[in-house]
Amino acid sequence: MKPLIEITTVPIQIEMKTTNAKLEYARGTAEMEISREKNGLQIKSRPIKVNIDTFEARNSLSPTLARYLQQSAEKGRQASYEATATYARQGQLLLETQVGEELITQFSEEAMMKDVKTNVGLDFLPKGGAEITWDPGELNIRYEMDKLNIDWRMGTGDFEFTPGDIEFTVTQRPDVVIKYIGGPIYVPPSSDPNYEPVDVTI
């Protein structure tokens, strides 16, 4: 008698995918920025300055009212000093005079000679010269070179670690296939066209 059932087992199928671990190094970047500051040449010049003061020279020609009053007062004081000295000297001579001396004639001659000396009218104008002063010239030269600025920006290198990976994929699940391979089953069995009675005689 042939078997009626065929049992087939389907095994499980697993696909395994692995990824190796890796360590990557990223190099650092470097950037350079250059900037320039312009300066240049600066020249500052101041010429010589001459100062001419003609105040005294002009006052000797045409004095101001204040200077005229001052000069007149000075002349009056000088004249009083000279007159006082003359009278004192003449008084001293009068005290020491002797019989027969003619002092009056001597005094008259001295007065006349004095008037001749003082009233000549000869004078040099202007009496004072101009006062000249000066401020020295000045020359300043300033030169500054251009400035070159260099700025470096450097990035450090970085390490990147990628861990390993294992991936399991079930491509086919396990299964049991039961297949009936026999012929049809008749109920009752006698309805089978190929039925053969079973001999049960003993």
Side-chain angles (χ1 to χ4, degrees), residues 152 166 172:
W152 287 92
I166 299 177
Q172 180 176 320

Side-chain angles (χ1 to χ4, degrees), residues 9-68:
T9 60
V10 179
I12 188 173
Q13 291 184 359
I14 299 175
E15 181 179 346
M16 185 177 64
K17 183 179 180 181
T18 61
T19 302
N20 296 329
K22 59 182 179 180
L23 180 65
E24 295 178 344
Y25 172 71
R27 291 186 177 181
T29 58
E31 297 180 359
M32 182 178 65
E33 181 178 350
I34 300 176
S35 61
R36 181 186 297 273
E37 296 181 9
K38 293 185 178 181
N39 290 310
L41 177 65
Q42 297 179 356
I43 300 177
K44 182 179 179 182
S45 175
R46 187 184 68 184
I48 187 171
K49 181 180 179 182
V50 179
N51 304 314
I52 302 176
D53 187 3
T54 59
F55 181 77
E56 295 296 335
R58 286 185 287 107
N59 276 331
S60 65
L61 295 174
S62 177
T64 60
L65 180 59
R67 179 59 64 89
Y68 177 75

Side-chain angles (χ1 to χ4, degrees), residues 96-160:
E96 297 177 358
T97 185
Q98 297 178 5
V99 179
E101 291 184 2
E102 296 181 0
L103 296 178
I104 301 299
T105 305
Q106 182 180 352
F107 293 160
S108 300
E109 291 177 356
E110 290 179 358
M112 290 178 63
M113 291 301 296
K114 181 180 180 183
D115 291 337
V116 171
K117 291 180 180 178
T118 57
N119 296 326
V120 173
L122 182 62
D123 199 358
F124 294 96
L125 294 177
K127 293 183 179 180
E131 183 179 355
I132 300 176
T133 59
W134 64 86
D135 298 331
E138 183 178 356
L139 179 64
N140 293 326
I141 300 176
R142 181 180 179 184
Y143 175 72
E144 291 185 5
M145 298 180 62
D146 294 348
K147 295 180 181 179
L148 188 65
N149 301 321
I150 300 177
D151 186 11
W152 287 92
R153 298 187 182 93
M154 303 202 50
T156 57
D158 296 328
F159 288 93
E160 183 179 356

Side-chain angles (χ1 to χ4, degrees), residues 184-197:
I185 298 175
Y186 295 94
V187 179
S190 59
S191 61
D192 185 2
N194 298 322
Y195 176 74
E196 293 180 358

